[in-house]
């Protein structure tokens, strides 16, 4: 079973920066696109950013120009650099990916990491 473990969340003032990491565990043959989602209280989970296995990226309009997603294919790890943070970025951030192990295809979610932007 593939597990995803996020880290890097915390409390930051408006205008500050945070870098989230999501590491995978398990024997993985291949990984497809990797993505970051977030869910604020009372709201639905939304896609923040995604990166394909080839490095193509896509961002939600609300974070474009402020957030950068990247991945280390050798480590099967995905990152989210968040700059110029705003209070409306406050949410639990989840990473997601899918791919294939020796047991077949998988889709996994991390447990989430809290990001709070407040003065």
């Amino acid at each position: 079973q593939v597990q995803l473990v996020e880290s890097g969340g915390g409390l930051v003032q408006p205008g500050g920066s945070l870098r989230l990491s999501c590491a995978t565990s398990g024997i993985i043959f291949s990984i497809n696109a990797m993505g970051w989602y977030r869910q604020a209280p009372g709201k639905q989970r939304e896609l923040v950013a995604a990166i394909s296995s080839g490095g193509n990226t896509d961002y939600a309009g609300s974070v474009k120009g402020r957030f950068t997603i990247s991945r280390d294919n050798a480590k099967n790890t995905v990152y989210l650099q968040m700059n110029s943070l705003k209070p409306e970025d406050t949410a639990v951030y989840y990473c997601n990916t899918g791919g294939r192990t020796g047991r077949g295809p998988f889709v996994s979610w991390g447990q989430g990491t809290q990001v709070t932007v407040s003065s």
Side-chain angles (χ1 to χ4, degrees), residues 7-75:
S7 61
L11 173 64
V12 63
Q13 292 186 342
S17 298
L18 284 175
R19 187 184 191 225
L20 306 184
S21 299
C22 175
T24 61
S25 65
I27 300 175
I28 301 170
F29 288 176
S30 63
I31 286 188
N32 303 325
M34 306 181 83
W36 286 97
Y37 292 72
R38 67 186 180 188
Q39 188 167 18
K43 294 187 176 181
Q44 290 190 337
R45 190 173 297 189
E46 63 174 354
L47 177 66
V48 176
I51 184 167
S52 71
S53 57
N56 293 320
T57 58
D58 192 24
Y59 297 92
S62 59
V63 308
K64 197 170 293 186
R66 300 187 297 122
F67 290 11
T68 302
I69 189 171
S70 61
R71 63 190 285 172
D72 183 333
N73 289 330
K75 297 180 179 179

Side-chain angles (χ1 to χ4, degrees), residues 63-101:
V63 308
K64 197 170 293 186
R66 300 187 297 122
F67 290 11
T68 302
I69 189 171
S70 61
R71 63 190 285 172
D72 183 333
N73 289 330
K75 297 180 179 179
N76 289 331
T77 299
V78 63
Y79 307 95
L80 185 68
Q81 178 67 43
M82 305 185 292
N83 299 328
S84 302
L85 283 161
K86 304 175 181 180
E88 50 263 43
D89 294 319
T90 295
V92 178
Y93 284 71
Y94 300 89
C95 66
N96 165 264
T97 190
R100 182 170 291 275
T101 70

